[in-house]
Structure formats: C-alpha cells, structure tokens
Amino acid sequence: MKIQDEIKKLSDKERVIVAILAGWTILHFILLLISDGSTKYFWPFDKDPGIKTDYDFSEFAIYGLVPWIVFLIFWFLKKTDTDTK
C-alpha cells in the first residue's frame, strides 16, 4: 500500500479534512514539546489551567491522535462500503 495511491483515492472534501487534521496534530505536537508534562491534571480541566504546566502525552493522544483514528475508521468503513457496491 503506497501512501501516494491512497491520497489519490481521497475526495476533495477528505483532502481538506486531512490537511486540517495535519495542522491540528502539528499544533498539539508543538504544545507537547513546549510543556513540562505534568500528569496531575488533564488540560484544561484544572483550577488554574496552563499549557506549560498541565499538557502532557495524554492530552496529545486525546486531542491530536484520536481525531485521526476517527477519520481513519470512517474512511475505511466508507471504502469497504463502496467496494461492495
């Protein structure tokens, strides 16, 4: 499976979604890099929320990776649905 072939199969709407998700993930990766990595609270649910003090890998996984997983699940379901028709 070549990534270029899979990208060519995406519709214009799906390409826009992938571009937004890529930007969203890069943003959260930058937030992960600049934070201190505290696991005491889940950002932003703290009495004094701060990116530098509360953001760690669990927030990156929820905010940065879960949207990709949701997109891929829908894309594979749509792909298998159109393959059977």
Side-chain angles (χ1 to χ4, degrees), residues 2 27 29 57-58 82 85:
K2 286 185 165 182
L27 171 70
F29 185 69
F57 187 77
S58 62
T82 58
K85 289 183 180 179

Side-chain angles (χ1 to χ4, degrees), residues 2-81:
K2 286 185 165 182
I3 192 78
Q4 292 89 359
D5 295 336
E6 296 301 319
I7 290 173
K8 289 178 185 177
K9 293 179 186 177
L10 294 174
S11 68
D12 289 339
K13 184 178 179 181
E14 291 169 336
R15 288 180 190 195
V16 169
I17 292 171
V18 167
I20 291 170
L21 283 175
W24 181 255
T25 304
I26 289 169
L27 171 70
H28 281 280
F29 185 69
I30 291 169
L31 292 176
L32 179 64
L33 291 178
I34 65 171
S35 69
D36 293 334
S38 170
T39 58
K40 188 173 181 181
Y41 296 103
F42 190 83
W43 182 80
F45 305 106
D46 185 3
K47 62 182 175 188
D48 186 27
I51 294 287
K52 185 90 172 136
T53 57
D54 292 336
Y55 199 90
D56 68 343
F57 187 77
S58 62
E59 284 86 3
F60 175 74
I62 297 295
Y63 298 129
L65 300 179
V66 168
W68 280 104
I69 294 168
V70 170
F71 173 76
L72 290 173
I73 288 171
F74 281 114
W75 187 66
F76 282 120
L77 289 175
K78 186 191 99 168
K79 183 177 175 182
T80 57
D81 184 42

